[in-house]
Amino acid sequence: MGGYILAIDQGTTSTRAIIFDGSMQVAGTAQKEFRQIFPDSGWVEHDPEEIWESVVWSIRQALEKAGLKAADIAAIGITNQRETTLLWERETGKPLHNAIVWQDRRTAKLCEKLKKDGHEKVFVKKTGLLLDPYFSGTKLSWLLSKVKGARKRAEKGELCFGTVDTFLIWRLTGGKSFVTDATNASRTLMFNIEKNVWDKQLLEILDVPPSVLPQVLDCAAEFGVADEELFGAPIPILGVAGDQHAAVIGQACFEPGMLKSTYGTGCFALLNTGEDMVRSKNRLLTTIAYRLDGKTIYALEGSIFVAGAAVQWLRDGLKVIGSASETGALAEKADPAQDVYLVPAFVGLGAPWWDAEARGAMFGLTRGTGPAEFARAALEAVCYQTGDLLDAMHKDWKNANGDTVLRVDGGMVASDWTMQRLSDLIDAPVDRPVILETTALGAAWLAGSKAGVWPDMKAFSDAWSRDRRFEPQMDDETRERKIKGWKKAVQRTLSNA
């Protein structure tokens, strides 16, 4: 057995398998996209079989590219798109329905009903989450109600619920392991994050039988062993964390007050608050950052539903760009005299507004507005939304201070223009790490440290290195004008406006 670690990064639009060597450098990688299914307005689904096939294919390709065999891999770490909800047969592993993706808004009316019935306070108190279609609990409730015979079968113990990590572990182990980790459990609306248990009262409100729920483990634990027949040798699965939590770990944000933001399909900022479970007064989420050796570390989180997805919209919807990599250069050519704003509420607005019924809009268009202004507006929307999250975090946590340094990762951070504009608009330094694959690296560290082939937390933290720091360059007057315009655009977009 070598010191190689395999990270499965199962994301919203693609799956990546990344093999890290003993020095935590990438030895081989492979990626496969899969379909996005839109059955109705605001609905988003994935085919679970396509997800599974993309995982197996990516792992095999990564091994081949690295010139390795499964026997060379010490452990597997899994990180995954959170809140995406699956329901399958315990006997066969066959899904009963497509996976309902975290972006999906079909349970908006159910969430409204639960609020009207006075349940939101108990959910916020126990889970740190708001009643929003984003989270898994109402998605599961919908599946149990709408799929013929599902609730009866669930009550008989014939069905399994899981987020993507649980489904993959089930498949990798041939149905031997039905488990999840504390971070993924904390995003379901069914897990009491203070007591670290599935909550009976919440399950009753959502009408979910406890028998469908997986066992909850620490982020570094023995999750099972991938079957030999899949890759040629058995491989232990020793690390699991939802993608945003894995990025906290990969960015070595282990100290209270450290902050990271990931820019993928959506954008997610997490502020480590240590063992202090901070209750937000500004509609942020209180969540489990990670749980190691039975010790729970908490975070404040702001979730933005659309970040890189706005760039995909420019490419696939409007067809004003050929590839995402063109966006920064195009934005740089935009007319500085035009203040064009995109509020990307394609699937509602996340923190700090939490408006499931809001829909996207553009403001400030003139006859002179073209592709360059559209590109700049899409990228700036991510920056403005990040600023809104940071403002809310500073209001919520007494220990947060004005000297924030934001550690960033995800596909969008490769763009120097975007990172400079982010620093300008949030008026704070932005640190881009040398290793951009921080989400996968976090999952790999969980597995590698558990396997005893990677360094401990302190040594891992010491090894974190910065590629570049972006410092604010925009003058205060310009920043204030632009932010004022953004806030006005958001207010016009809200469903109650």
Side-chain angles (χ1 to χ4, degrees):
M1 184 178 73
Y4 293 96
I5 301 296
L6 166 64
I8 300 170
D9 185 355
Q10 203 301 296
T12 308
T13 58
S14 69
T15 297
R16 292 184 304 161
I18 303 175
I19 298 171
F20 293 91
D21 64 21
S23 303
M24 296 185 285
Q25 301 300 308
V26 175
T29 182
Q31 182 170 1
K32 190 174 181 66
E33 291 192 1
F34 49 86
R35 284 185 307 150
Q36 306 297 300
I37 303 165
F38 307 103
D40 205 342
S41 175
W43 293 28
V44 190
E45 295 179 357
H46 293 155
D47 182 338
E49 298 298 346
E50 287 183 20
I51 291 177
W52 170 242
E53 287 161 13
S54 72
V55 169
V56 174
W57 182 90
S58 298
I59 292 171
R60 288 174 178 165
Q61 285 291 306
L63 285 167
E64 189 176 318
K65 286 183 180 179
L68 298 170
K69 294 180 178 178
D72 299 315
I73 306 298
I76 293 173
I78 297 174
T79 184
N80 57 287
Q81 50 166 316
R82 303 174 303 171
E83 295 98 15
T84 295
T85 301
L86 297 97
L87 191 64
W88 65 93
E89 293 178 343
R90 191 179 288 269
E91 186 69 28
T92 66
K94 181 183 174 185
L96 269 71
H97 190 276
N98 278 341
I100 302 180
V101 180
W102 57 273
Q103 299 161 311
D104 189 283
R105 313 305 287 169
R106 76 186 63 187
T107 63
K109 286 182 180 176
L110 173 56
C111 290
E112 284 305 315
K113 183 181 184 305
L114 291 169
K115 287 178 192 176
K116 283 177 184 174
D117 291 345
H119 293 307
E120 185 160 51
K121 279 187 178 178
V122 71
F123 278 96
V124 172
K125 184 177 188 298
K126 292 187 172 189
T127 71
L129 310 176
L130 299 168
L131 274 173
D132 188 87
Y134 175 32
F135 305 108
S136 311
T138 57
K139 293 177 168 69
L140 174 57
S141 187
W142 186 93
L143 285 168
L144 292 172
S145 298
K146 300 296 183 183
V147 176
K148 190 176 179 181
R151 181 162 273 110
K152 283 186 178 177
R153 294 188 67 189
E155 287 166 354
K156 290 179 184 175
E158 296 176 8
L159 302 182
C160 297
F161 150 77
T163 42
V164 173
D165 58 306
T166 302
F167 178 69
L168 293 182
I169 294 167
W170 178 274
R171 284 288 179 93
L172 287 166
T173 63
K176 295 182 187 74
S177 291
F178 183 37
V179 293
T180 189
D181 84 294
T183 67
N184 278 293
S186 76
R187 312 296 296 186
T188 62
L189 278 174
M190 298 180 285
F191 192 70
N192 187 314
I193 63 170
E194 189 171 13
K195 296 181 179 177
N196 272 273
V197 294
W198 297 115
D199 193 281
K200 186 180 177 184
Q201 182 186 7
L202 303 181
L203 295 177
E204 286 173 356
I205 294 170
L206 292 168
D207 199 10
V208 170
S211 60
V212 300
L213 302 172
Q215 180 186 0
V216 182
L217 305 177
D218 284 352
C219 299
E222 294 180 2
F223 290 90
V225 179
D227 281 351
E228 182 176 354
E229 63 190 47
L230 286 171
F231 310 112
I235 313 172
I237 305 164
L238 298 181
V240 176
D243 51 11
Q244 305 315 317
H245 314 265
V248 168
I249 294 163
Q251 289 278 33
C253 290
F254 295 127
E255 295 297 323
M258 295 185 76
L259 176 67
K260 77 89 202 174
S261 191
T262 298
Y263 298 93
T265 302
C267 162
F268 303 88
L270 271 79
L271 174 70
N272 184 325
T273 61
E275 294 179 70
D276 188 4
M277 199 168 78
V278 177
R279 303 286 186 182
S280 177
K281 294 182 176 66
N282 292 281
R283 296 180 70 75
L284 297 177
L285 306 176
T286 306
T287 196
I288 293 176
Y290 51 85
R291 195 177 89 191
L292 296 171
D293 299 322
K295 181 180 175 181
T296 304
I297 298 299
Y298 295 97
L300 275 175
E301 176 176 335
S303 309
I304 297 167
F305 298 150
V306 173
V311 176
Q312 288 178 323
W313 173 68
L314 292 180
R315 183 191 67 192
D316 303 335
L318 298 186
K319 301 190 186 303
V320 297
I321 56 171
S323 69
S325 59
E326 299 171 21
T327 320
L330 189 59
E332 201 166 1
K333 297 174 185 174
D335 179 1
Q338 290 192 53
D339 282 332
V340 178
Y341 295 94
L342 167 65
V343 183
F346 303 135
V347 289
L349 283 170
W353 307 282
W354 293 106
D355 187 344
E357 300 304 319
R359 288 296 176 264
M362 290 198 79
F363 299 92
L365 302 180
T366 71
R367 284 288 300 274
T369 303
E373 287 73 33
F374 273 67
R376 185 185 63 192
L379 296 179
E380 285 188 336
V382 177
C383 307
Y384 290 127
Q385 290 178 101
T386 304
D388 291 337
L389 299 182
L390 300 192
D391 287 346
M393 286 175 174
H394 286 136
K395 288 173 185 172
D396 269 338
W397 194 42
K398 62 183 186 299
N399 294 332
N401 57 49
D403 300 325
T404 300
V405 176
L406 180 62
R407 289 188 174 182
V408 296
D409 56 84
M412 295 184 79
V413 308
S415 165
D416 287 354
W417 187 92
T418 308
M419 292 302 98
Q420 183 57 55
R421 187 52 56 102
L422 176 63
S423 177
D424 287 341
L425 289 173
I426 67 171
D427 196 19
V430 171
D431 281 358
R432 182 171 64 194
V434 170
I435 298 178
L436 292 178
E437 307 290 357
T438 50
T439 303
L441 181 64
W445 178 77
L446 289 169
S449 60
K450 181 69 176 176
V453 298
W454 273 28
D456 64 14
M457 185 181 283
K458 185 182 184 307
F460 178 71
S461 183
D462 290 344
W464 184 92
S465 57
R466 184 172 65 208
D467 164 57
R468 180 174 168 184
R469 170 168 285 186
F470 297 86
E471 300 271 8
Q473 295 176 1
M474 185 178 284
D475 63 86
D476 291 345
E477 186 181 341
T478 302
R479 181 186 304 111
E480 286 167 15
R481 186 193 80 241
K482 291 175 77 68
I483 290 173
K484 186 177 179 182
W486 162 255
K487 291 185 183 300
K488 192 180 290 184
V490 171
Q491 287 305 316
R492 290 174 174 175
T493 310
L494 296 173
S495 62
N496 60 4

